[in-house]
Amino acid sequence: MKTDMGGPPVWGVIGVIDAEGDCAEWTFPAEPGAVRTARQVVRGQLRGWNLDSLADLAALLVSELVTNALRHATGPIGVRLVRPSDLDGVLRVEVSDPLPDPPRERAARPEDESGRGLQLVASSCRRWGTRPGAAGKTVWFELAVPG
């Protein structure tokens, strides 16, 4: 069992890679509980950084990307929050998985039960994109930090 920076127990985290300074990073197993746990740790970290105003949106977008990773990939899912020193006023959020194929936005029909996650990300953030990794890919987005 791991704890979220001294908070309540957080189940389903493979490891907290870093939670100091301006970067926090976690790895989750590819299991359904990862979505809920990812939301928890993102909210907790943003509270710790006094970025409560971004917590709900960041947690929602992370849950969409982690859900996509669970649907299409097997293996661990990484979540990373970064406050880049070279980009003042920006929070970068990254979700990584072992599948190399980049996600594709698609137009969901009104009766479709899925297919809106990337549209939600694209319409809610400052910028977003993907980049290949050594094993898989990372989908990232940036949110403006209120001044």
Side-chain angles (χ1 to χ4, degrees):
M1 173 176 62
K2 303 254 183 238
T3 61
D4 179 25
M5 274 60 84
V10 177
W11 301 98
V13 177
I14 292 174
V16 177
I17 298 167
D18 181 17
E20 299 296 323
D22 290 340
C23 178
E25 190 169 351
W26 305 268
T27 303
F28 303 96
E31 299 172 354
V35 176
R36 178 177 33 85
T37 307
R39 280 194 308 260
Q40 274 184 304
V41 298
V42 165
R43 279 192 179 110
Q45 183 64 49
L46 292 177
R47 266 194 309 275
W49 284 346
N50 294 316
L51 295 176
D52 298 63
S53 62
L54 297 178
D56 287 341
L57 179 57
L60 172 66
L61 300 179
V62 163
S63 67
E64 290 294 331
L65 295 178
V66 171
T67 298
N68 282 352
L70 285 172
R71 274 203 180 115
H72 303 289
T74 60
I77 298 165
V79 174
R80 186 171 184 244
L81 304 177
V82 183
R83 294 169 53 183
S85 57
D86 60 332
L87 295 174
D88 193 31
V90 170
L91 172 71
R92 181 174 297 135
V93 181
E94 303 174 349
V95 176
S96 303
D97 67 56
L99 187 68
D101 303 327
R104 291 185 309 260
E105 273 189 87
R106 65 183 184 100
R109 297 180 311 242
E111 64 274 10
D112 290 344
E113 292 186 20
S114 64
R116 293 174 183 83
L118 287 178
Q119 291 175 345
L120 182 62
V121 170
S123 67
S124 302
C125 65
R126 183 176 167 251
R127 295 186 322 148
W128 78 280
T130 63
R131 69 173 182 271
K137 67 170 170 315
T138 297
V139 180
W140 58 270
F141 62 88
E142 293 177 349
L143 297 174
V145 174

